[in-house]
Amino acid sequence: MTGNAPSNIAAKRAAAAGAGIALAVLLFVAVNMLANLLFASARLDLTSDRLFTLSQGTRTILGKIEEPIVLRFYYSERLGREVPSYGVYAQRVRELLEEYRNNARGRLRLEVIDPAPYSDEEDRAVAFGLQGVPLNQQGETVYFGLVGTNGADREETIPFFQPERERFLEYDLTKAVYNLSVTKKPQVGMLSSLPMEGEFRGRGQPSPPWAVYTQLGQFFDIRPVARDAAEIPSEIGVLMVVHPKNLPEPTLYAIDQFVLRGGRALVFVDPMSEGEMARGGPAAMGGPTGSNLAKLFDAWGLSMEDDKLAGDRAAARRVNAGTEGRVRAVDYVLWLSLREANFERSDVLLTEASTIQMASTGILAKKEGATTEFVPLLRTSAQSQAISVDEVRTQPDPAALLANFKPSGTSLALAARIRGQSKSAFAEAPAVAEGQPARTAAHLAQSTGPINVIVVADTDMLEDRFWVQVQDFFGQRVATPAAYNGDFVVNAVDNLLGSSDLIGLRGRGLSQRPFTLLADIQREAELRFRAKERELSEKLRETERRLAELQGRGGPRGEEAPRSILTADQQTEIDRFRAELIGVRRELRDVQRDLRQDIEAVQTFTKAVNIGAVPALVALLAIGLGLARLRRRSG
């Protein structure tokens, strides 16, 4: 009896332990099932840009859907099995589409389709324009795209979800839904001297439209306006004027009257268009490439000097520059990478902006005595300087510009919003050119209400090479923005039209996230390096001059005389120069080494924080809990 007691107790303990484990397993399964049921859509988004949270703009657009929309998500499961990274991305796309459906008040239906090879579903995917991608050498084709349709049989298609555009996923999806939800796109007039629609060059293939032009066409009905137009059609809501070079008087008058009648205008002018220079012709030989609307600007209450460009040492972009047979990275003060400090954050147009790239930008200013309001939207830092166009028109030297840079201490306006009452720039209407239809509206001497115009003193910011990377993916052009330029233009048009639903959406998740602290350290070290470089150059020139004096003849600069005819003083001077040169070079190496060490130290600290912060917090939490338990037991 007494011998069986311990065994019974052990058996009971074992049974209790087994029951406890079984209960724990059941509890774990139940909690997971309950969590999946109640919190399936719960997310904790810790990204700085809230990339995994629907923006207010998306929610507003989904809430405004009137007619039912069907989204068909075509995804080949085989693609995810063969390439797991696509499977992960497809899961995110599907979850986001489900979020859209949940927020659309039942006006959005989602269908998920896995098109089998040679099936009716695959035929429909091809008919919708989805892009099939060969998966293997047997020619097996897979799909990963989206088709949206509405009751009017209009279609919006994303041919293939590119992983490179994952950060723009919400933007792409909302754009498709928005286009299906609106019945008619607003009209935007386009008057441009630059080939934004693409162009033919010689006998080659035509170049594609600029990315910003394509982006505008996704939201608006773009209507070309001729350079000799005598009147702007009344159906146009916003007139976009790009590089208005040598416009005739009737066209200037048409723009003037359009704005005075309440039409909105988005104007891009430029004292020096690098894009025009790059296209050859007289402009490439140093001819004028500037544009201005001086006559209209004068009436609207602003001005732009034709011969001045804005330089900014703090916002300068780093470029490769060649000097004395060597290529090295230099901050080019005329190519600007504008960030938050350069934006007017109180304007809705720039609330979501992160980076805008500009090049050889003009300087805007409010005209003295103007009756309109002048609000700078984009501006330089206080480390700015006005630089003459003649100084950089042909073969600008970025290193020399940086070396001679003298900050003015004031910021310069690069883009501005103009609002208020305005008079006409014309005392009377000019005659209509022969062959043009007569004007339908009477002359206005002043605006019928406050004018609303946005002026940007740069046209190069519209060119692809300054803000977007375009790649070819099995014949499809995939654009990945590196800056906010395209969104700035579309948002400006949207804002002038009076719509703002999409403004908060665009600009999320840009691919470029610069390390500003590293850039500042690098910039300061660069300035020290350039100062030492100038010191070396001055010493070199001074030594050459003294050598020429000692030799009693002005030989070619830098040419060393034969050793046999040198005097002792000349030889001593040469030896002193060489020793001095070696010393200065050593100092240059020290500056470069310090620069490298400063950057490496910051990089190391950043990596340590990113890698070790979370484990350190968990360890501290565990230690704290352990100490608390020990204190509770001891108490």
Side-chain angles (χ1 to χ4, degrees), residues 95-254:
E95 290 177 354
L96 194 57
L97 288 171
E98 290 171 350
E99 282 288 306
Y100 276 58
R101 181 191 58 195
N102 297 336
N103 284 274
R105 300 176 298 123
R107 301 296 175 88
L108 191 151
R109 193 173 83 238
L110 175 64
E111 297 178 3
V112 181
I113 302 167
D114 181 359
Y118 309 107
S119 64
D120 292 340
E121 287 82 3
E122 183 179 32
D123 293 341
R124 277 193 287 273
V126 174
F128 279 131
L130 296 190
Q131 186 174 13
V133 175
L135 184 64
N136 47 40
Q137 294 183 348
Q138 288 72 39
E140 196 174 1
T141 304
V142 292
Y143 297 85
F144 184 20
L146 183 81
V147 179
T149 56
N150 62 9
D153 291 332
R154 285 170 47 199
E155 297 177 6
E156 286 290 326
T157 304
I158 298 176
F160 196 92
F161 285 100
Q162 299 290 342
E164 291 81 3
R165 286 189 62 86
E166 182 175 1
R167 299 172 68 84
F168 306 91
L169 178 59
E170 184 189 354
Y171 173 80
D172 292 338
L173 293 178
T174 304
K175 179 186 67 181
V177 173
Y178 173 79
N179 288 335
L180 290 170
S181 64
V182 297
T183 56
K184 187 178 180 181
K185 293 181 179 179
Q187 284 197 16
V188 174
M190 178 67 72
L191 197 165
S192 175
S193 300
L194 296 174
M196 299 181 66
E197 302 176 59
E199 62 181 335
F200 281 94
R201 290 185 179 179
R203 298 179 179 178
Q205 294 292 325
S207 63
W210 293 7
V212 69
Y213 188 89
T214 303
Q215 196 168 347
L216 278 168
Q218 292 168 347
F219 296 97
F220 311 109
D221 181 10
I222 302 177
R223 183 170 175 177
V225 176
R227 284 177 50 82
D228 59 349
E231 197 168 41
I232 307 300
S234 58
E235 300 82 12
I236 288 177
V238 171
L239 177 64
M240 187 166 163
V241 182
V242 179
H243 204 40
K245 193 176 178 182
N246 303 324
L247 288 183
E249 284 284 302
T251 307
L252 292 175
Y253 178 75

Side-chain angles (χ1 to χ4, degrees), residues 463-477:
E463 301 243 7
D464 291 0
R465 63 187 174 117
F466 286 105
W467 70 277
V468 66
Q469 294 178 342
V470 180
Q471 298 175 316
D472 184 85
F473 181 79
F474 292 97
Q476 294 282 340
R477 296 182 79 235

Side-chain angles (χ1 to χ4, degrees), residues 7-8 20 23 32 64 104 110 155 179 201 232 317 437 443 447 463 494 511 516 521:
S7 59
N8 289 336
L23 186 62
N32 273 278
K64 289 182 178 178
L110 175 64
E155 297 177 6
N179 288 335
R201 290 185 179 179
I232 307 300
R317 289 179 60 190
H443 172 74
S447 60
E463 301 243 7
D494 228 9
S511 59
T516 54
I521 292 174

Side-chain angles (χ1 to χ4, degrees), residues 368-590:
E368 189 174 351
T371 57
T372 53
E373 183 186 11
F374 179 93
V375 181
L377 297 176
L378 305 176
R379 53 184 174 263
T380 66
S381 72
Q383 297 187 50
S384 66
Q385 181 190 7
I387 297 173
S388 170
V389 170
D390 292 336
E391 189 177 347
V392 297
R393 192 187 301 277
T394 56
Q395 296 183 340
D397 184 349
L401 285 174
L402 182 63
N404 300 321
F405 196 85
K406 296 178 181 176
S408 63
T410 59
S411 65
L412 307 172
L414 310 176
R417 186 190 290 275
I418 313 299
R419 289 182 295 216
Q421 296 288 340
S422 174
K423 293 182 179 179
S424 172
F426 295 82
E428 59 182 11
V432 177
E434 187 176 353
Q436 289 284 347
R439 298 188 182 92
T440 59
H443 172 74
L444 283 180
Q446 60 183 8
S447 60
T448 57
I451 66 170
N452 199 340
V453 177
I454 293 176
V455 178
V456 182
D458 183 34
T459 59
D460 297 310
M461 68 170 294
L462 303 174
E463 301 243 7
D464 291 0
R465 63 187 174 117
F466 286 105
W467 70 277
V468 66
Q469 294 178 342
V470 180
Q471 298 175 316
D472 184 85
F473 181 79
F474 292 97
Q476 294 282 340
R477 296 182 79 235
V478 180
T480 305
Y484 191 77
N485 296 28
D487 294 334
F488 173 80
V489 176
V490 179
N491 284 352
V493 173
D494 228 9
N495 179 250
L496 290 171
L497 284 167
S499 172
S500 59
D501 288 340
L502 289 171
I503 288 180
L505 171 65
R506 301 188 189 108
R508 290 161 60 99
L510 291 177
S511 59
Q512 188 183 71
R513 300 177 67 83
F515 293 95
T516 54
L517 177 58
L518 285 176
D520 291 341
I521 292 174
Q522 203 161 4
R523 188 175 295 111
E524 290 300 321
E526 180 80 14
L527 290 175
R528 295 200 306 272
F529 178 79
R530 297 303 169 208
K532 187 61 68 178
E533 188 182 49
R534 286 198 300 275
E535 181 184 337
L536 170 65
S537 300
E538 290 171 2
K539 285 182 177 179
L540 179 62
R541 284 193 293 269
E542 175 63 17
T543 306
E544 286 178 341
R545 186 186 64 78
R546 294 181 64 182
L547 273 176
E549 289 177 355
L550 286 171
Q551 292 169 350
R553 54 186 173 85
R557 291 172 64 84
E559 181 178 327
E560 187 178 345
R563 184 177 294 270
S564 60
I565 64 174
L566 291 176
T567 65
D569 289 342
Q570 289 173 331
Q571 187 59 51
T572 301
E573 189 69 13
I574 291 174
D575 293 341
R576 188 191 67 78
F577 162 68
R578 285 175 175 165
E580 192 174 78
L581 189 63
I582 291 172
V584 175
R585 282 179 174 169
R586 185 181 302 115
E587 291 180 35
L588 282 174
R589 285 197 300 272
D590 291 343

